[in-house]
Amino acid sequence: MANKPGWRQVLKAVLGAFIGVQSEQQRQQDFNASSPAPFIIAGLIITLFFVLLLLLTVRLVLA
C-alpha cells in the first residue's frame, strides 16, 4: 500500500498541477498515493479560491 500524503505534499502537488509545472517524479508519487480524495478536495478548494479572487478583482476594477 502506498504512503498517505501529508497536507504539504498535497498542496504542493495541486498547486504545481494547477499552474502546470509539476515534475514527472512528483506526478508519479501523487499517482501512487493511497487515495485521490485529498488531491480532489484540495483542487476544488483552490479552484474555488481562484474563482472568488477573480470575481473580487473584477468588482474592484469595475467599481
Side-chain angles (χ1 to χ4, degrees):
M1 180 170 265
N3 295 340
K4 182 178 177 184
W7 68 271
R8 282 186 180 177
Q9 180 184 349
V10 170
L11 185 61
K12 180 181 172 188
V14 171
L15 287 175
F18 195 75
I19 61 174
V21 295
Q22 192 174 38
S23 69
E24 179 65 22
Q25 179 184 7
Q26 181 68 39
R27 190 185 68 77
Q28 288 296 328
Q29 188 177 10
D30 297 342
F31 274 92
N32 290 328
S34 58
S35 172
F39 298 99
I40 294 170
I41 293 168
L44 290 173
I45 291 170
I46 290 173
T47 302
L48 179 64
F49 178 74
F50 180 70
V51 169
L52 291 174
L53 184 65
L54 285 175
L55 288 172
L56 178 65
T57 303
V58 168
R59 282 185 175 221
L60 288 173
V61 168
L62 294 179

